[in-house]
Amino acid sequence: MWRLLLLLAAPWGPGTLAGSPPGPAARSLRGSWRLASGNGSVVLSGAVPGCVHTALLRQGLIQDPYYRSNDLAYKWISLDNWTYSRTFKAFDARKWQKVNLVFEGIDTVAQILVNNVTVGRTDNMFNRYSFDITSVIKEDSFIEVRFLSAISYAAQRSRSHRAYRVPPQCPPPVQKGECHVNFIRKEQCSFSWDWGPSFPTQGIWKDVRIEAYNICHLIYFTLTPIYVKSAQQWSLEIESVFDVVSSKPVVGLVTVNIPKLQIQQTYTTELHPGEDRIVLLVNISKSATVQKWWPNGHGNQTGYDMTTTFIMEAGYKIEKFSKAYFRTVELVEEPIPGSPGLSFYFRINGHPIFIKGSNWIPADSFQDRVSSDVLKIILQSTVDANMNALRVWGGGVYEQDEFYDICDELGIMIWQDFMFACALYPTDQNFLKSVRAEITHQVKRLKSHPSIILWSGNNENEAAIAGNWFFIPHAEMKVYFKDYVTLYVKNIQEIVLAEDKSRPYITSSPTNGMESVKEGWISQNPYDTHYGDTHFYDYLSDCWDWTVYPKTRFASEYGFQSWPSFSTLEKVSSTEDWSFTSNFSFHRQHHASGNDQMLHQAGLHFKLPQNTDPLQLFKDTIYLTQVMQAQCIKAETEFYRRSQSEIINGEGHTMGALYWQLNDIWQAPSWASLEYGGKWKMLHYFAQRFFAPLLPVGHEDKGVLFIYGVSDLHSDSELTLKVSLYQWDSTAPVCTLAKEGVIVKAGSAAPIYKEPVNDLLKRCGNCTRQSCVVTFYFVGKGELYSPSNYHFLSSLKDAVGLEKAQLSVSTSLSAVGKWGWGWRPQLRYLLLFNISLVWQLNLESEKLDSF
Ligand code: BMA
């Protein structure tokens, strides 16, 4: 009988078969809604998906919320309770067994009414909500979404949590934010962060639609590749979750087609009333060559087009088009000879990989402005800078589907935090119920992406308890330990393990991994260099001095601030703001003493700007903070990269460097290497070089210059190392030494050159530490080469002979890039040409007289 149905299916196309009940119908509710403030005094039209702030902006009712201190001026928006409403024509409800109102994302606390009947309530921005409206829908229907201010809700929840406090109460005053964000399941940084403003948005931030169906409806469809090592065989697990509305079991056929792997398999299946799922295991024939998905720099990101067709009883047909990817991931925590503790590194497709990249924060305070183009520009910039990974940090949002699609395509591995950061959290039943739904939904939504290599419970909450950040009296600590385990182990971990066995889960970042588990999930010192990952910040020590950095297993956060360029700031400021000590400059700085720290750090090695023209002084200062940041993070990252293969005093085997942070949420000083809008700071240009697959890295230890060969390549390289000394006032080297036949092993870092600096200077005649700089690079056969790198022999403020560079940059729009930002390749080429010289630090010296 089922075979017959299969034959009948073709002529009528997707959806239904002749004489059978209609397939599912969907009506989008995207578009323009009526938006009203709490007392009705402000009424406007608001786009969905969208939020109140962007609606007001589009209607010209407010200025750019990022302009000057508008974040403070517009606090009233988030304190009000807004209502979205609209009418819509529905389907003939009698034709359908079930009609649902589906919100892919709603921000955040709302009561939903359809035809004046409350059909549901929401309290979690990260959940997907589906409300049964079968009995209330009419042909002409009216929907209302009545929001409650997230600020009021969070305060209310905190007040009603009487048994004990759940800190922190409020962010530090310098952040000018809102309180109790840990009581609401909403983007945690929307109440302010140390790099971002407080804009607690309200709105329908993702798709909303009506879905009507009979018999059954597909809710989730996920793919998981499985590799059985002993059999050397791939299989693909296909999981489909259905809402079955038929009162009896529903039988059907599922056909899976992957043409390039010669797969066409049909399975019989049976679904039971209620929520039910089908799990199929498709074995890939050993004779088919499976091309794996590799991270950027390690191979291709092959994906296979695949069609899955469900033909259910009564001719109900559902077709799913997807891409199947094949890759394995292991987080390796095992003893290392000569070192106490355990390793912490990722093996992708059985291959150990050094993780290079940065930390991702939300690209805008208003998610509806994070367009496809915004994502593409930022993500392309990561691979352009030789990164292979990003950590989606736990104080933001689980990113939109397209973010992960692009990462899949570009080979960007994702360390995915769950959205909990820098706080303790309640664990009452309502909160846990909401979190459980959130985690289940997000894991199901995201688990098919090969780019995601790790789930991580939270950002810094293990450290917050271990280090008692919130000054909790010792005697009261027990309850917080218990809450921590309840949330991240008994709930989140349990769900992750049930939903997704294909990738590792760690409870926190930083954590000691298995050692934290052993110590009851909270280590005495989650920053232990012998275990897990670390976060490291030190703004006062000299950042050029590598001995200040932790020789960690994995550096998942580290960084220094800088100011975004004047052209970026100009858009949100006015003339009186353009000084380092203006109210504006204090207002945009959300990290206590941040501006002083930048000047302190810059002052260690550079002459601080002294131009008498105030505007030029401001521009020079901005510029110098970027030079300082780039140089500091270069020093730190190179330290981590060169520490990958060695153990010194029991420490080392560093296998990851993710600096804080990649992108910006607005135009302000921060740790980012990309400005709001996507412009590269100097750090990003540096990153392209310090993350190069093949790199010579220099450092000095007790007066001896060492050069390490660092390689992320899959095969050993035979190279010539060229070491030159240049005087600051000349582009011709004083002397060059070529060391031939240097072997740099695949995936390793090892010293390949060693010479006391005094000997080097003597050998080179006219050089002193102040007058010369060392540069070095690799050349090999064919295309094989590294960028040139350098080592400073003195502070730049003591350098003798530095001259104005007199360089100019011209741009052209002629080269159109993959996604249309045509000016970039050429501009980058020119800039790279310039910064390939050590004299890059003098690039703008005509503007920076005191440099
Ligand atoms: C880390 C992050 C963020 C923060 C950054 C800079 O600890 O997790 O919370 O923005 O430091 O302070």
Side-chain angles (χ1 to χ4, degrees), residues 113-143:
L113 298 97
V114 174
N115 298 325
N116 299 319
V117 178
T118 300
V119 295
R121 292 173 190 275
T122 65
D123 62 6
N124 188 328
M125 177 186 186
F126 308 124
N127 204 351
R128 172 188 191 269
Y129 289 94
S130 178
F131 301 114
D132 185 349
I133 56 166
T134 323
S135 59
V136 295
I137 191 132
K138 296 183 192 151
E139 215 176 308
D140 288 302
S141 283
F142 175 61
I143 177 171

PDB file of all heavy atoms in Angstrom, residues 113-143:
ATOM      1  N   LEU A 113      -2.351  37.523  23.447  1.00  0.00           N
ATOM      2  CA  LEU A 113      -3.807  37.374  23.326  1.00  0.00           C
ATOM      3  C   LEU A 113      -4.194  37.245  21.859  1.00  0.00           C
ATOM      4  O   LEU A 113      -3.647  37.962  21.005  1.00  0.00           O
ATOM      5  CB  LEU A 113      -4.539  38.585  23.901  1.00  0.00           C
ATOM      6  CG  LEU A 113      -4.331  38.853  25.400  1.00  0.00           C
ATOM      7  CD1 LEU A 113      -3.263  39.893  25.614  1.00  0.00           C
ATOM      8  CD2 LEU A 113      -5.645  39.308  26.031  1.00  0.00           C
ATOM      9  N   VAL A 114      -5.097  36.319  21.605  1.00  0.00           N
ATOM     10  CA  VAL A 114      -5.663  36.221  20.261  1.00  0.00           C
ATOM     11  C   VAL A 114      -7.172  36.368  20.423  1.00  0.00           C
ATOM     12  O   VAL A 114      -7.786  35.635  21.215  1.00  0.00           O
ATOM     13  CB  VAL A 114      -5.289  34.883  19.581  1.00  0.00           C
ATOM     14  CG1 VAL A 114      -6.012  34.727  18.248  1.00  0.00           C
ATOM     15  CG2 VAL A 114      -3.782  34.790  19.389  1.00  0.00           C
ATOM     16  N   ASN A 115      -7.739  37.311  19.735  1.00  0.00           N
ATOM     17  CA  ASN A 115      -9.169  37.623  19.847  1.00  0.00           C
ATOM     18  C   ASN A 115      -9.591  37.796  21.306  1.00  0.00           C
ATOM     19  O   ASN A 115     -10.585  37.228  21.771  1.00  0.00           O
ATOM     20  CB  ASN A 115      -9.999  36.550  19.131  1.00  0.00           C
ATOM     21  CG  ASN A 115      -9.654  36.516  17.651  1.00  0.00           C
ATOM     22  OD1 ASN A 115      -9.364  37.559  17.052  1.00  0.00           O
ATOM     23  ND2 ASN A 115      -9.638  35.331  17.062  1.00  0.00           N
ATOM     24  N   ASN A 116      -8.760  38.551  22.018  1.00  0.00           N
ATOM     25  CA  ASN A 116      -8.985  38.907  23.426  1.00  0.00           C
ATOM     26  C   ASN A 116      -8.906  37.739  24.405  1.00  0.00           C
ATOM     27  O   ASN A 116      -9.285  37.874  25.562  1.00  0.00           O
ATOM     28  CB  ASN A 116     -10.325  39.640  23.607  1.00  0.00           C
ATOM     29  CG  ASN A 116     -10.320  40.920  22.799  1.00  0.00           C
ATOM     30  OD1 ASN A 116      -9.300  41.620  22.759  1.00  0.00           O
ATOM     31  ND2 ASN A 116     -11.413  41.194  22.113  1.00  0.00           N
ATOM     32  N   VAL A 117      -8.435  36.601  23.960  1.00  0.00           N
ATOM     33  CA  VAL A 117      -8.249  35.473  24.875  1.00  0.00           C
ATOM     34  C   VAL A 117      -6.750  35.285  25.078  1.00  0.00           C
ATOM     35  O   VAL A 117      -5.983  35.259  24.112  1.00  0.00           O
ATOM     36  CB  VAL A 117      -8.833  34.160  24.270  1.00  0.00           C
ATOM     37  CG1 VAL A 117      -8.598  32.981  25.209  1.00  0.00           C
ATOM     38  CG2 VAL A 117     -10.295  34.336  23.932  1.00  0.00           C
ATOM     39  N   THR A 118      -6.335  35.178  26.333  1.00  0.00           N
ATOM     40  CA  THR A 118      -4.910  34.953  26.597  1.00  0.00           C
ATOM     41  C   THR A 118      -4.554  33.536  26.167  1.00  0.00           C
ATOM     42  O   THR A 118      -5.122  32.564  26.683  1.00  0.00           O
ATOM     43  CB  THR A 118      -4.604  35.128  28.105  1.00  0.00           C
ATOM     44  OG1 THR A 118      -4.966  36.454  28.447  1.00  0.00           O
ATOM     45  CG2 THR A 118      -3.133  34.892  28.405  1.00  0.00           C
ATOM     46  N   VAL A 119      -3.616  33.435  25.226  1.00  0.00           N
ATOM     47  CA  VAL A 119      -3.250  32.086  24.748  1.00  0.00           C
ATOM     48  C   VAL A 119      -1.901  31.648  25.305  1.00  0.00           C
ATOM     49  O   VAL A 119      -1.515  30.486  25.189  1.00  0.00           O
ATOM     50  CB  VAL A 119      -3.229  32.010  23.199  1.00  0.00           C
ATOM     51  CG1 VAL A 119      -4.618  32.224  22.640  1.00  0.00           C
ATOM     52  CG2 VAL A 119      -2.229  32.989  22.596  1.00  0.00           C
ATOM     53  N   GLY A 120      -1.180  32.555  25.911  1.00  0.00           N
ATOM     54  CA  GLY A 120       0.086  32.148  26.508  1.00  0.00           C
ATOM     55  C   GLY A 120       0.866  33.326  27.050  1.00  0.00           C
ATOM     56  O   GLY A 120       0.498  34.490  26.856  1.00  0.00           O
ATOM     57  N   ARG A 121       1.943  32.972  27.770  1.00  0.00           N
ATOM     58  CA  ARG A 121       2.840  33.987  28.336  1.00  0.00           C
ATOM     59  C   ARG A 121       4.271  33.594  28.032  1.00  0.00           C
ATOM     60  O   ARG A 121       4.567  32.397  27.896  1.00  0.00           O
ATOM     61  CB  ARG A 121       2.642  34.079  29.858  1.00  0.00           C
ATOM     62  CG  ARG A 121       1.309  34.639  30.252  1.00  0.00           C
ATOM     63  CD  ARG A 121       1.081  34.559  31.760  1.00  0.00           C
ATOM     64  NE  ARG A 121      -0.322  34.886  32.042  1.00  0.00           N
ATOM     65  CZ  ARG A 121      -0.785  36.116  32.185  1.00  0.00           C
ATOM     66  NH1 ARG A 121       0.041  37.150  32.088  1.00  0.00           N
ATOM     67  NH2 ARG A 121      -2.063  36.327  32.425  1.00  0.00           N
ATOM     68  N   THR A 122       5.129  34.566  27.943  1.00  0.00           N
ATOM     69  CA  THR A 122       6.531  34.274  27.651  1.00  0.00           C
ATOM     70  C   THR A 122       7.428  34.939  28.693  1.00  0.00           C
ATOM     71  O   THR A 122       7.075  35.984  29.244  1.00  0.00           O
ATOM     72  CB  THR A 122       6.927  34.799  26.258  1.00  0.00           C
ATOM     73  OG1 THR A 122       6.840  36.225  26.278  1.00  0.00           O
ATOM     74  CG2 THR A 122       6.045  34.250  25.167  1.00  0.00           C
ATOM     75  N   ASP A 123       8.575  34.311  28.939  1.00  0.00           N
ATOM     76  CA  ASP A 123       9.516  34.915  29.889  1.00  0.00           C
ATOM     77  C   ASP A 123      10.967  34.610  29.510  1.00  0.00           C
ATOM     78  O   ASP A 123      11.867  34.771  30.322  1.00  0.00           O
ATOM     79  CB  ASP A 123       9.246  34.409  31.317  1.00  0.00           C
ATOM     80  CG  ASP A 123       9.437  32.906  31.457  1.00  0.00           C
ATOM     81  OD1 ASP A 123       9.894  32.256  30.482  1.00  0.00           O
ATOM     82  OD2 ASP A 123       9.134  32.368  32.534  1.00  0.00           O
ATOM     83  N   ASN A 124      11.176  34.126  28.290  1.00  0.00           N
ATOM     84  CA  ASN A 124      12.533  33.714  27.938  1.00  0.00           C
ATOM     85  C   ASN A 124      12.805  34.061  26.474  1.00  0.00           C
ATOM     86  O   ASN A 124      12.199  33.503  25.557  1.00  0.00           O
ATOM     87  CB  ASN A 124      12.669  32.200  28.166  1.00  0.00           C
ATOM     88  CG  ASN A 124      14.106  31.723  28.020  1.00  0.00           C
ATOM     89  OD1 ASN A 124      14.874  32.272  27.225  1.00  0.00           O
ATOM     90  ND2 ASN A 124      14.460  30.699  28.772  1.00  0.00           N
ATOM     91  N   MET A 125      13.728  34.971  26.290  1.00  0.00           N
ATOM     92  CA  MET A 125      14.073  35.448  24.943  1.00  0.00           C
ATOM     93  C   MET A 125      14.652  34.345  24.063  1.00  0.00           C
ATOM     94  O   MET A 125      14.625  34.436  22.840  1.00  0.00           O
ATOM     95  CB  MET A 125      15.104  36.562  25.119  1.00  0.00           C
ATOM     96  CG  MET A 125      15.651  37.149  23.866  1.00  0.00           C
ATOM     97  SD  MET A 125      16.961  38.305  24.318  1.00  0.00           S
ATOM     98  CE  MET A 125      17.331  39.007  22.723  1.00  0.00           C
ATOM     99  N   PHE A 126      15.210  33.321  24.713  1.00  0.00           N
ATOM    100  CA  PHE A 126      15.940  32.292  23.965  1.00  0.00           C
ATOM    101  C   PHE A 126      15.094  31.062  23.663  1.00  0.00           C
ATOM    102  O   PHE A 126      15.580  30.084  23.116  1.00  0.00           O
ATOM    103  CB  PHE A 126      17.181  31.852  24.754  1.00  0.00           C
ATOM    104  CG  PHE A 126      18.040  33.011  25.175  1.00  0.00           C
ATOM    105  CD1 PHE A 126      18.358  33.217  26.517  1.00  0.00           C
ATOM    106  CD2 PHE A 126      18.534  33.904  24.234  1.00  0.00           C
ATOM    107  CE1 PHE A 126      19.151  34.291  26.899  1.00  0.00           C
ATOM    108  CE2 PHE A 126      19.325  34.976  24.620  1.00  0.00           C
ATOM    109  CZ  PHE A 126      19.639  35.173  25.950  1.00  0.00           C
ATOM    110  N   ASN A 127      13.834  31.112  24.086  1.00  0.00           N
ATOM    111  CA  ASN A 127      12.982  29.963  23.852  1.00  0.00           C
ATOM    112  C   ASN A 127      12.169  30.163  22.576  1.00  0.00           C
ATOM    113  O   ASN A 127      12.034  31.277  22.081  1.00  0.00           O
ATOM    114  CB  ASN A 127      12.043  29.783  25.042  1.00  0.00           C
ATOM    115  CG  ASN A 127      11.553  28.365  25.165  1.00  0.00           C
ATOM    116  OD1 ASN A 127      11.777  27.553  24.261  1.00  0.00           O
ATOM    117  ND2 ASN A 127      10.888  28.063  26.258  1.00  0.00           N
ATOM    118  N   ARG A 128      11.671  29.065  22.059  1.00  0.00           N
ATOM    119  CA  ARG A 128      10.729  29.130  20.952  1.00  0.00           C
ATOM    120  C   ARG A 128       9.368  28.840  21.563  1.00  0.00           C
ATOM    121  O   ARG A 128       9.237  27.902  22.352  1.00  0.00           O
ATOM    122  CB  ARG A 128      11.109  28.045  19.930  1.00  0.00           C
ATOM    123  CG  ARG A 128      10.136  27.824  18.812  1.00  0.00           C
ATOM    124  CD  ARG A 128      10.595  26.578  18.038  1.00  0.00           C
ATOM    125  NE  ARG A 128       9.881  26.426  16.793  1.00  0.00           N
ATOM    126  CZ  ARG A 128       8.753  25.738  16.663  1.00  0.00           C
ATOM    127  NH1 ARG A 128       8.203  25.136  17.713  1.00  0.00           N
ATOM    128  NH2 ARG A 128       8.179  25.643  15.481  1.00  0.00           N
ATOM    129  N   TYR A 129       8.372  29.636  21.211  1.00  0.00           N
ATOM    130  CA  TYR A 129       7.048  29.423  21.802  1.00  0.00           C
ATOM    131  C   TYR A 129       6.043  29.035  20.730  1.00  0.00           C
ATOM    132  O   TYR A 129       5.998  29.651  19.664  1.00  0.00           O
ATOM    133  CB  TYR A 129       6.564  30.695  22.503  1.00  0.00           C
ATOM    134  CG  TYR A 129       7.318  31.000  23.776  1.00  0.00           C
ATOM    135  CD1 TYR A 129       8.422  31.850  23.766  1.00  0.00           C
ATOM    136  CD2 TYR A 129       6.936  30.425  24.989  1.00  0.00           C
ATOM    137  CE1 TYR A 129       9.117  32.134  24.938  1.00  0.00           C
ATOM    138  CE2 TYR A 129       7.624  30.694  26.169  1.00  0.00           C
ATOM    139  CZ  TYR A 129       8.711  31.551  26.128  1.00  0.00           C
ATOM    140  OH  TYR A 129       9.393  31.822  27.285  1.00  0.00           O
ATOM    141  N   SER A 130       5.266  28.022  21.051  1.00  0.00           N
ATOM    142  CA  SER A 130       4.205  27.605  20.138  1.00  0.00           C
ATOM    143  C   SER A 130       2.925  27.504  20.959  1.00  0.00           C
ATOM    144  O   SER A 130       2.849  26.710  21.900  1.00  0.00           O
ATOM    145  CB  SER A 130       4.583  26.254  19.525  1.00  0.00           C
ATOM    146  OG  SER A 130       3.570  25.824  18.681  1.00  0.00           O
ATOM    147  N   PHE A 131       1.936  28.353  20.642  1.00  0.00           N
ATOM    148  CA  PHE A 131       0.695  28.357  21.412  1.00  0.00           C
ATOM    149  C   PHE A 131      -0.438  27.791  20.553  1.00  0.00           C
ATOM    150  O   PHE A 131      -0.606  28.183  19.396  1.00  0.00           O
ATOM    151  CB  PHE A 131       0.344  29.784  21.849  1.00  0.00           C
ATOM    152  CG  PHE A 131       1.421  30.413  22.701  1.00  0.00           C
ATOM    153  CD1 PHE A 131       2.140  31.510  22.250  1.00  0.00           C
ATOM    154  CD2 PHE A 131       1.720  29.889  23.957  1.00  0.00           C
ATOM    155  CE1 PHE A 131       3.128  32.095  23.032  1.00  0.00           C
ATOM    156  CE2 PHE A 131       2.717  30.463  24.745  1.00  0.00           C
ATOM    157  CZ  PHE A 131       3.426  31.566  24.282  1.00  0.00           C
ATOM    158  N   ASP A 132      -1.187  26.897  21.180  1.00  0.00           N
ATOM    159  CA  ASP A 132      -2.320  26.293  20.478  1.00  0.00           C
ATOM    160  C   ASP A 132      -3.466  27.308  20.431  1.00  0.00           C
ATOM    161  O   ASP A 132      -4.007  27.695  21.473  1.00  0.00           O
ATOM    162  CB  ASP A 132      -2.731  25.028  21.244  1.00  0.00           C
ATOM    163  CG  ASP A 132      -3.827  24.265  20.536  1.00  0.00           C
ATOM    164  OD1 ASP A 132      -4.415  24.813  19.581  1.00  0.00           O
ATOM    165  OD2 ASP A 132      -4.105  23.115  20.938  1.00  0.00           O
ATOM    166  N   ILE A 133      -3.821  27.748  19.222  1.00  0.00           N
ATOM    167  CA  ILE A 133      -4.904  28.752  19.116  1.00  0.00           C
ATOM    168  C   ILE A 133      -6.095  28.206  18.318  1.00  0.00           C
ATOM    169  O   ILE A 133      -6.918  28.972  17.825  1.00  0.00           O
ATOM    170  CB  ILE A 133      -4.375  30.079  18.497  1.00  0.00           C
ATOM    171  CG1 ILE A 133      -3.718  29.855  17.132  1.00  0.00           C
ATOM    172  CG2 ILE A 133      -3.391  30.766  19.433  1.00  0.00           C
ATOM    173  CD1 ILE A 133      -3.500  31.133  16.338  1.00  0.00           C
ATOM    174  N   THR A 134      -6.135  26.870  18.228  1.00  0.00           N
ATOM    175  CA  THR A 134      -7.184  26.231  17.418  1.00  0.00           C
ATOM    176  C   THR A 134      -8.579  26.708  17.819  1.00  0.00           C
ATOM    177  O   THR A 134      -9.426  26.972  16.964  1.00  0.00           O
ATOM    178  CB  THR A 134      -7.106  24.694  17.573  1.00  0.00           C
ATOM    179  OG1 THR A 134      -5.745  24.321  17.656  1.00  0.00           O
ATOM    180  CG2 THR A 134      -7.776  23.976  16.423  1.00  0.00           C
ATOM    181  N   SER A 135      -8.800  26.829  19.118  1.00  0.00           N
ATOM    182  CA  SER A 135     -10.168  27.128  19.557  1.00  0.00           C
ATOM    183  C   SER A 135     -10.480  28.622  19.551  1.00  0.00           C
ATOM    184  O   SER A 135     -11.620  29.011  19.743  1.00  0.00           O
ATOM    185  CB  SER A 135     -10.402  26.539  20.945  1.00  0.00           C
ATOM    186  OG  SER A 135      -9.454  27.106  21.812  1.00  0.00           O
ATOM    187  N   VAL A 136      -9.469  29.452  19.379  1.00  0.00           N
ATOM    188  CA  VAL A 136      -9.771  30.898  19.438  1.00  0.00           C
ATOM    189  C   VAL A 136      -9.650  31.600  18.091  1.00  0.00           C
ATOM    190  O   VAL A 136     -10.096  32.742  17.936  1.00  0.00           O
ATOM    191  CB  VAL A 136      -8.866  31.634  20.469  1.00  0.00           C
ATOM    192  CG1 VAL A 136      -9.157  31.163  21.876  1.00  0.00           C
ATOM    193  CG2 VAL A 136      -7.403  31.479  20.138  1.00  0.00           C
ATOM    194  N   ILE A 137      -9.061  30.932  17.131  1.00  0.00           N
ATOM    195  CA  ILE A 137      -8.830  31.605  15.849  1.00  0.00           C
ATOM    196  C   ILE A 137     -10.146  31.806  15.086  1.00  0.00           C
ATOM    197  O   ILE A 137     -11.033  30.961  15.134  1.00  0.00           O
ATOM    198  CB  ILE A 137      -7.781  30.840  15.010  1.00  0.00           C
ATOM    199  CG1 ILE A 137      -7.349  31.684  13.817  1.00  0.00           C
ATOM    200  CG2 ILE A 137      -8.289  29.495  14.544  1.00  0.00           C
ATOM    201  CD1 ILE A 137      -5.889  31.746  13.658  1.00  0.00           C
ATOM    202  N   LYS A 138     -10.233  32.955  14.445  1.00  0.00           N
ATOM    203  CA  LYS A 138     -11.410  33.246  13.607  1.00  0.00           C
ATOM    204  C   LYS A 138     -10.900  33.638  12.225  1.00  0.00           C
ATOM    205  O   LYS A 138      -9.704  33.839  12.043  1.00  0.00           O
ATOM    206  CB  LYS A 138     -12.186  34.427  14.198  1.00  0.00           C
ATOM    207  CG  LYS A 138     -12.767  34.165  15.554  1.00  0.00           C
ATOM    208  CD  LYS A 138     -13.562  35.389  15.980  1.00  0.00           C
ATOM    209  CE  LYS A 138     -13.927  35.307  17.446  1.00  0.00           C
ATOM    210  NZ  LYS A 138     -14.061  36.623  18.054  1.00  0.00           N
ATOM    211  N   GLU A 139     -11.831  33.829  11.323  1.00  0.00           N
ATOM    212  CA  GLU A 139     -11.385  34.191   9.977  1.00  0.00           C
ATOM    213  C   GLU A 139     -10.659  35.537   9.988  1.00  0.00           C
ATOM    214  O   GLU A 139      -9.601  35.691   9.396  1.00  0.00           O
ATOM    215  CB  GLU A 139     -12.567  34.222   9.029  1.00  0.00           C
ATOM    216  CG  GLU A 139     -12.136  33.750   7.659  1.00  0.00           C
ATOM    217  CD  GLU A 139     -13.302  33.676   6.720  1.00  0.00           C
ATOM    218  OE1 GLU A 139     -14.307  33.046   7.093  1.00  0.00           O
ATOM    219  OE2 GLU A 139     -13.186  34.263   5.626  1.00  0.00           O
ATOM    220  N   ASP A 140     -11.248  36.498  10.725  1.00  0.00           N
ATOM    221  CA  ASP A 140     -10.546  37.768  10.932  1.00  0.00           C
ATOM    222  C   ASP A 140     -10.132  37.794  12.384  1.00  0.00           C
ATOM    223  O   ASP A 140     -10.982  37.850  13.267  1.00  0.00           O
ATOM    224  CB  ASP A 140     -11.475  38.952  10.638  1.00  0.00           C
ATOM    225  CG  ASP A 140     -11.706  39.070   9.144  1.00  0.00           C
ATOM    226  OD1 ASP A 140     -10.711  39.207   8.413  1.00  0.00           O
ATOM    227  OD2 ASP A 140     -12.883  38.970   8.728  1.00  0.00           O
ATOM    228  N   SER A 141      -8.841  37.742  12.578  1.00  0.00           N
ATOM    229  CA  SER A 141      -8.374  37.632  13.964  1.00  0.00           C
ATOM    230  C   SER A 141      -7.559  38.843  14.367  1.00  0.00           C
ATOM    231  O   SER A 141      -7.028  39.579  13.531  1.00  0.00           O
ATOM    232  CB  SER A 141      -7.540  36.368  14.131  1.00  0.00           C
ATOM    233  OG  SER A 141      -8.375  35.243  14.206  1.00  0.00           O
ATOM    234  N   PHE A 142      -7.436  38.993  15.676  1.00  0.00           N
ATOM    235  CA  PHE A 142      -6.708  40.121  16.241  1.00  0.00           C
ATOM    236  C   PHE A 142      -5.709  39.563  17.253  1.00  0.00           C
ATOM    237  O   PHE A 142      -6.082  38.780  18.129  1.00  0.00           O
ATOM    238  CB  PHE A 142      -7.717  41.059  16.914  1.00  0.00           C
ATOM    239  CG  PHE A 142      -7.091  42.213  17.637  1.00  0.00           C
ATOM    240  CD1 PHE A 142      -6.306  43.151  16.951  1.00  0.00           C
ATOM    241  CD2 PHE A 142      -7.287  42.383  19.016  1.00  0.00           C
ATOM    242  CE1 PHE A 142      -5.736  44.228  17.632  1.00  0.00           C
ATOM    243  CE2 PHE A 142      -6.714  43.460  19.679  1.00  0.00           C
ATOM    244  CZ  PHE A 142      -5.935  44.381  18.990  1.00  0.00           C
ATOM    245  N   ILE A 143      -4.473  39.934  17.080  1.00  0.00           N
ATOM    246  CA  ILE A 143      -3.446  39.434  18.013  1.00  0.00           C
ATOM    247  C   ILE A 143      -2.811  40.600  18.753  1.00  0.00           C
ATOM    248  O   ILE A 143      -2.573  41.662  18.178  1.00  0.00           O
ATOM    249  CB  ILE A 143      -2.384  38.591  17.259  1.00  0.00           C
ATOM    250  CG1 ILE A 143      -1.291  38.140  18.223  1.00  0.00           C
ATOM    251  CG2 ILE A 143      -1.771  39.326  16.101  1.00  0.00           C
ATOM    252  CD1 ILE A 143      -0.329  37.138  17.624  1.00  0.00           C
TER     253      ILE A 143
END
